[in-house]
Amino acid sequence: MLTTAAVARRAGRVLDAIPPASGAVVMGTGIVSISLADGGYDTLSRALLALAAVVWVGLVAVVAGRVARDPPRARLEACSPAALTGIADTAVLGSRVALLGWHRVGAALLVVAFCFWLALVPSVLRRWTTPTVGTSFMLVVSTESLAVLAAILAGADRILWLAVVSLVALALGLAAYVFVLSRFDLRQLLVGRGDHWVAGGALAIATLACALVAQAMQGIGALHHLRAGLGVVSLALWAAAALWLPALLAGELVSLRPAYDVRRWSTVFPVGMYAASSFVVGDVEGIGGLVDFTRVWIWVAFAVWLVVFVGLLRRGLALWRE
C-alpha cells in the first residue's frame, strides 16, 4: 500500500510532466463538444463540456503552481508557441458556454483569454524560430479563437463594437497565418507528432470566425456592405482549409505515428473544427451539402477524440506507476 509521501511524489511527478501544450486537451474536447451540440447530441456535448471545464481548472492550477514553485521554467515555457494553447482553450471553453446562453461567463472568459493574449504573444514573438512547425500555428488559432468568442457574444447580445473587435481579430489571425505558413516546413506532414494538423485547423477556425462575424452583423443589422463579402471570404477559407485534408491524411498513411503524444490533441482540435466551421458556414450561406457533411464528420471528430483520450489516460497511468 502506498504511503502518503509516495502518493505525493507520484502526483508531483505526473504534474511536472504536464507540458505547455496541454491546453490543447481543452481545445480539442471543447470544439468536439460544440460540434456535437451543432448536431443535436446535447447530452454527449454537455458531458464533454464538463470534462473540458474540469481539465481547464486543473491546468490553471498547474500553471499557477509552476509559476510559484519554478519561475524560470514558467518563464521559459511562456515563450513557446505551445503556451498559446492557454489562450485558445480559454476562448473555446468560453465559446461553448456562451452557446448555452451563459453570456456573462463567456464574456469573463473572453477577458481572461484576451489578457493571456496580451501577456503571451509578445514573449512568443520575441523568441520566434524558423522554420515553423505545427505548433507555430497556435499564433493564428489563439487570435482567431478570440474572434470566434467575440462574434458569438456580439451576435447574441447585438453589440456592434464587439463585432468590430471580432472582425479585427479575424484579420490579425489571417495575417498571422500568412506569416507562419510562409515559414512552414512541409516535412512536418511526415514527421510532426500531431500538431502539424493545425496547419489546416488554423484555417478552419478562421472560417468559423468569419462566418460568425457575418452572422453577428446580419443579426445586429449593421455594416450590411460587409456581409456579402464576409460570406465569400468564409467560403474561400473553408475551401482552403479543406485542401489541407488530403495532404494531412496522406501524411498519416505514409508515416504511421500510433504512439500517444500530447500534440495529438492538436489533431483532435482541427478535426473537430472542420465539423464546427462546416456547420456554421453551411447554415449561414444556406448550403445544405456542408451541413450534411458535418453530420457525418462529427462522428469522425468524436472517434479521433476518443482514441486520443484513451491514449491520455494510458499515458497518465504509466506515469503514475513509474
Side-chain angles (χ1 to χ4, degrees):
M1 185 173 180
L2 293 176
T3 64
T4 302
V7 171
R9 283 196 301 272
R10 292 191 178 192
R13 185 168 62 247
V14 172
L15 294 175
D16 286 340
I18 295 176
S22 296
V25 178
V26 180
M27 291 166 52
T29 305
I31 198 60
V32 173
S33 173
I34 289 173
S35 298
L36 287 166
D38 288 339
Y41 306 102
D42 195 56
T43 301
L44 187 54
S45 172
R46 286 174 182 257
L48 264 63
L49 169 61
L51 178 61
V54 169
V55 175
W56 184 83
V57 171
L59 289 176
V60 169
V62 168
V63 171
R66 193 164 290 172
V67 169
R69 295 193 322 270
D70 193 352
R73 176 182 176 181
R75 285 194 295 270
L76 181 63
E77 291 180 343
C79 296
S80 165
L84 301 179
T85 60
I87 301 167
D89 67 1
T90 303
V92 168
L93 185 62
S95 296
R96 181 64 188 98
V97 299
L99 290 171
L100 283 175
W102 303 347
H103 297 164
R104 290 186 179 181
V105 177
L109 289 172
L110 175 59
V111 171
V112 172
F114 180 63
C115 290
F116 284 166
W117 191 91
L118 289 176
L120 293 174
V121 168
S123 298
V124 170
L125 290 177
R126 280 196 296 268
R127 299 288 186 91
W128 195 260
T129 59
T130 54
T132 55
V133 296
T135 305
S136 306
F137 284 100
M138 284 309 305
L139 178 63
V140 182
V141 173
S142 61
T143 306
E144 296 292 358
S145 67
L146 297 178
V148 168
L149 178 50
I152 291 172
L153 293 172
D157 295 327
R158 299 182 182 276
I159 304 174
L160 178 58
W161 70 265
L162 195 54
V164 174
V165 167
S166 179
L167 183 60
V168 171
L170 167 65
L172 285 175
L174 291 175
Y177 188 82
V178 174
F179 169 73
V180 177
L181 181 63
S182 65
R183 295 160 176 80
F184 183 57
D185 181 1
L186 288 173
R187 290 174 298 177
Q188 289 295 311
L189 298 179
L190 297 176
V191 302
R193 305 309 299 175
D195 56 308
H196 56 289
W197 276 77
V198 189
L203 277 178
I205 191 172
T207 302
L208 178 61
C210 190
L212 287 171
V213 171
Q215 193 175 56
M217 288 183 174
Q218 184 175 14
I220 294 169
L223 303 177
H224 298 287
H225 59 289
L226 290 178
R227 169 63 185 85
L230 288 172
V232 172
V233 172
S234 66
L235 286 172
L237 289 172
W238 184 91
L243 286 175
W244 275 102
L245 268 177
L248 291 166
L249 291 171
E252 295 292 342
L253 293 174
V254 171
S255 179
L256 299 177
R257 287 153 278 188
Y260 174 77
D261 190 295
V262 70
R263 285 168 290 185
R264 269 301 175 195
W265 286 101
S266 293
T267 301
V268 176
F269 178 75
V271 173
M273 186 55 71
Y274 277 113
S277 62
S278 298
F279 183 87
V280 174
V281 172
D283 183 56
V284 171
E285 299 301 320
I287 304 174
L290 285 184
V291 177
D292 293 338
F293 164 81
T294 301
R295 298 193 185 283
V296 175
W297 195 259
I298 285 170
W299 296 110
V300 175
F302 180 72
V304 173
W305 176 88
L306 188 60
V307 169
V308 178
F309 181 66
V310 170
L312 172 63
L313 294 179
R314 293 178 64 184
R315 175 59 176 161
L317 185 60
L319 283 172
W320 179 263
R321 289 174 172 172
E322 286 179 0

